[in-house]
Amino acid sequence: MHTDPKEEFELYKNKDALWQWYHDAVDAGEGTWLTPYYDDIIQKECISYVRPIFVDGVLSAVVGLDIEFTDFSDMVNEVKLYDTGYAFLIDENNNFIVDNQYTMKDSLESVGFTNLSQVIQNDQSGIVIENLEDDRYMAYAKLINGFTFVTVAKESEVISGIEKVNRSTKAVAAGILVVTVFISLLLGKSISKPIVKIVADMR
C-alpha cells in the first residue's frame, strides 16, 4: 500500500487501477456496484458499493462499502432447474461474475452465448433460445445493481416438464369429470324418482 501522498496523487491523477473504484463512482455520478474482486488483506472475494457525494453540485467525497461476495455467489450457484439447469451472473459488460464453469475473464460472446448477448442489451428481462450442442432456454433479468441474473435449462428438459404438467392437468381434469358425472347421476336419480312417482300417480 502506498503511503507517500505525492506518489498516491500521481496514481490518482493517472487513473491507476488502485484508484479505479473512485473514478468509476465519479464517472457514474451515482451509487454503483463494482466488479467483484479478491481482497488480499482479508483473503476473500468481495464486492464494493461506491457513491460520490456532491455538495451544491461539487464533488466532495466518494464513499464505499466492501461486502464479502460469498453469500451472493452461493445463492446463484445453489439454483437448480430440472435435471441439469443452473444459473449464472454477469456484469454490465457481459462478463461472467458467478458461474460454475466460467470465470471473470470469460464473456457471453467468448463462450458462444451470442443470441443472449444481443438481446440482453435492449431488454430488462426476457427469454431466448441458445443453439449450442443442444438447444437451451435462457431466461434473464437485469438487477438494480446493473448485473444480470440468467437461468439456463435444456429445451428437452423444459418440454418434458411441460408434458408432466400437462399429464397431471389431464389426470386431474379426468378425475373432476368422473366426480362430476357421478354427482350428476346421484342428483339425477334423487330428482327423477319423485317426478316419476308423481307422473305414475297422476296416470
Side-chain angles (χ1 to χ4, degrees):
M1 185 173 181
H2 300 276
T3 55
D4 185 349
K6 289 183 179 180
E7 185 179 352
E8 198 67 38
F9 179 73
E10 284 300 318
L11 292 173
Y12 155 77
K13 191 172 66 173
N14 295 323
K15 295 190 174 183
D16 186 85
L18 291 172
W19 282 88
Q20 189 64 45
W21 60 273
Y22 177 92
H23 295 292
D24 286 348
V26 174
D27 292 343
E30 59 184 4
T32 185
W33 289 90
L34 303 181
T35 302
Y37 59 93
Y38 186 78
D39 191 311
D40 291 324
I41 297 174
I42 64 174
Q43 297 184 346
K44 289 184 178 179
E45 286 284 337
C46 295
I47 187 170
S48 298
Y49 178 78
V50 292
R51 186 179 188 88
I53 306 298
F54 294 93
V55 178
D56 297 327
V58 178
L59 178 67
S60 299
V62 173
V63 295
L65 175 67
D66 299 328
I67 305 170
E68 188 178 338
F69 193 60
T70 308
D71 293 338
F72 290 88
S73 57
D74 286 348
M75 281 191 292
V76 175
N77 288 328
E78 286 172 3
V79 172
K80 303 298 178 190
L81 298 171
Y82 303 102
D83 295 327
T84 62
Y86 62 97
F88 62 82
L89 195 66
I90 57 174
D91 64 16
E92 294 173 327
N93 298 315
N94 290 349
N95 293 319
F96 287 88
I97 297 175
V98 179
D99 187 83
N100 288 323
Q101 182 178 358
Y102 303 115
T103 68
M104 295 179 192
K105 295 178 181 179
D106 299 309
S107 67
L108 292 179
E109 294 82 0
S110 69
V111 302
F113 295 162
T114 52
N115 290 341
L116 181 61
S117 67
Q118 291 171 2
V119 301
I120 212 169
Q121 302 300 326
N122 303 318
D123 301 318
Q124 289 295 316
S125 62
I127 297 176
V128 65
I129 295 180
E130 200 67 74
N131 306 106
L132 301 170
E133 69 275 2
D134 48 30
D135 290 344
R136 300 181 191 179
Y137 283 110
M138 293 189 166
Y140 63 91
K142 293 184 179 178
L143 310 179
I144 58 172
N145 61 4
F147 300 154
T148 302
F149 179 73
V150 183
T151 57
V152 183
K154 289 183 179 179
E155 184 181 32
S156 57
E157 293 177 6
V158 173
I159 292 173
S160 175
I162 293 172
E163 289 174 350
K164 287 179 183 176
V165 171
N166 284 339
R167 285 195 295 270
S168 299
T169 303
K170 288 176 181 177
V172 171
I176 292 173
L177 180 61
V178 170
V179 172
T180 303
V181 170
F182 182 70
I183 291 173
S184 299
L185 289 173
L186 285 178
L187 288 175
K189 285 184 178 181
S190 63
I191 293 172
S192 63
K193 278 183 180 178
I195 295 174
V196 170
K197 190 174 185 305
I198 290 170
V199 171
D201 290 344
M202 288 178 67
R203 285 178 180 171

